[in-house]
Amino acid sequence: MSADTDPTAESANASGDVADAASVEELRAQVEALRSELSDLRSAVDADGGDDTRRMTIIATKGTLDMAYPPLILASTAAAFGWDVVVFHTFWGLDILHEERSKKLKLSAVGNPSMPMPNAVASLPFMDDAATWYMNKKIADNGTATIDELIETSLDMGVDLQACQMTIDLMDYDEDEFRDGVTVGVGAATALQHMADADVQLFV
Amino acid sequence: MSTEYDVTETLDVKGLSCPMPVVQTKQAVDELDADDVLEVVATDSGSVSDLSGWADSTAGVELLGQEEGEAGGEAVYRHYVRVTE
């Protein structure tokens, strides 16, 4: 087949040029659209502060001596990294911030397979007190900071320690019973708002 | 003890364990000016990794060096942190 004498091929070429021109126009328009989208995004990022401060949100739900440590250790360390940190305390986690109860956090001897005694023995009266006494002794011997020191340090370094209002009411606590510097009057929406923008979110 | 660094201030965190060496280092650094050098003296063996990790990902500080020694039969770790801004 000889193409040079085929009139249909000629016309196909001509319409091909038209199609190319049209798609170049289309691409130009798309590039323009992307450019303006990019510049919108840039200004949105700038309006956001444009800084690279990392954020961490921890939800603290437990009020035993051992479970009070991880949120506070991570929170104070993250603050030392210059991160923006919120710890949202709810249910038994509130005890960590409670003026009186935070001084009496206990370790449970029951239901912990790492305890060097069977549950039947661990459930005897005062076994929680004994386990707590032993743990506190180990903490002191090891030079581990106390819960009290960690809370003070965290607050000093700008960590936002929040006490969930719904559970304050549920547990019959009063806002005044919490340590100075603790944020009260906050709920799930406040916690979520910070979590949505956080780089690290933890549930303890 | 002689050191190759021109130390502005020394922070003694001997006997303290995680997270206090890092936390107190940060608090001490905040009180210093640019180009000051903080010497941190710790007994926590975890402080070697923790302080270098902290310095790596924290703006405004630079870890100049870390030394391991001994004092009174106990391992002592010295960290030298320069304030960069």
Side-chain angles (χ1 to χ4, degrees):
Chain A
M1 181 162 101
S2 67
D4 50 350
T5 57
D6 188 344
T8 55
E10 280 285 304
S11 82
N13 264 347
S15 73
D17 285 347
V18 172
D20 279 352
S23 61
V24 165
E25 266 318 298
E26 213 170 273
L27 281 173
R28 248 189 212 133
Q30 274 178 9
V31 167
E32 270 319 302
L34 285 171
R35 261 196 195 134
S36 95
E37 207 172 311
L38 182 64
S39 110
D40 286 353
L41 283 172
R42 276 217 180 102
S43 37
V45 168
D46 287 346
D48 225 13
D51 69 298
D52 52 2
T53 302
R54 286 186 182 266
R55 292 157 69 101
M56 174 167 76
T57 316
I58 302 177
I59 310 295
T61 65
K62 301 287 195 290
T64 55
L65 182 60
D66 50 335
M67 295 302 272
Y69 270 94
L72 287 170
I73 288 176
L74 290 172
S76 53
T77 306
F81 276 62
W83 293 14
D84 170 16
V85 186
V86 165
V87 189
F88 184 84
H89 295 75
T90 188
F91 284 85
W92 288 273
L94 286 177
D95 286 4
I96 301 167
L97 305 181
H98 194 278
E99 192 80 59
E100 292 306 315
R101 298 180 73 90
S102 68
K103 294 179 172 64
K104 299 180 208 148
L105 299 182
K106 284 188 181 178
L107 188 68
S108 175
V110 179
N112 183 347
S114 298
M115 282 284 163
M117 62 184 109
N119 276 338
V121 176
S123 61
L124 293 173
F126 307 115
M127 274 305 185
D128 283 353
D129 293 319
T132 303
W133 174 84
Y134 181 70
M135 185 76 188
N136 276 323
K137 186 179 177 312
K138 295 286 283 180
I139 286 167
D141 291 350
N142 192 46
T144 300
T146 61
I147 291 299
D148 198 58
E149 287 166 344
L150 286 171
I151 292 175
E152 278 312 308
T153 306
S154 297
L155 288 170
D156 276 356
M157 302 189 76
V159 173
D160 188 5
L161 298 177
Q162 302 182 340
C164 163
Q165 190 62 41
M166 185 277 280
T167 37
I168 290 177
D169 300 338
L170 183 73
M171 312 284 256
D172 284 327
Y173 292 155
D174 194 277
E175 285 92 332
D176 303 340
E177 295 166 15
F178 291 88
R179 305 173 66 113
D180 289 344
V182 168
T183 305
V184 293
V186 291
T190 313
L192 274 178
Q193 198 181 14
H194 197 267
M195 286 175 101
D197 290 330
D199 303 280
V200 179
Q201 302 103 343
L202 296 169
F203 185 91
V204 180
Chain B
M1 176 179 252
S2 74
T3 159
E4 55 183 300
Y5 308 109
D6 187 11
V7 172
T8 317
E9 207 179 289
T10 296
L11 173 70
D12 183 359
V13 289
K14 292 199 293 289
L16 298 183
S17 63
C18 171
M20 284 310 181
V22 166
V23 167
Q24 292 197 5
T25 299
K26 162 69 175 169
Q27 288 175 322
V29 156
D30 284 347
E31 300 296 316
L32 295 175
D33 299 315
D35 282 331
D36 285 352
V37 174
L38 178 72
E39 178 187 42
V40 182
V41 187
T43 47
D44 173 21
S45 61
S47 67
V48 177
S49 167
D50 278 1
L51 265 154
S52 91
W54 168 78
D56 260 359
S57 50
T58 302
V61 295
E62 177 195 3
L63 186 65
L64 299 176
Q66 296 179 304
E67 292 168 6
E68 192 179 331
E70 213 192 272
E74 196 176 20
V76 170
Y77 307 90
R78 289 171 193 274
H79 315 272
Y80 298 92
V81 179
R82 189 175 77 89
V83 182
T84 58
E85 59 189 49

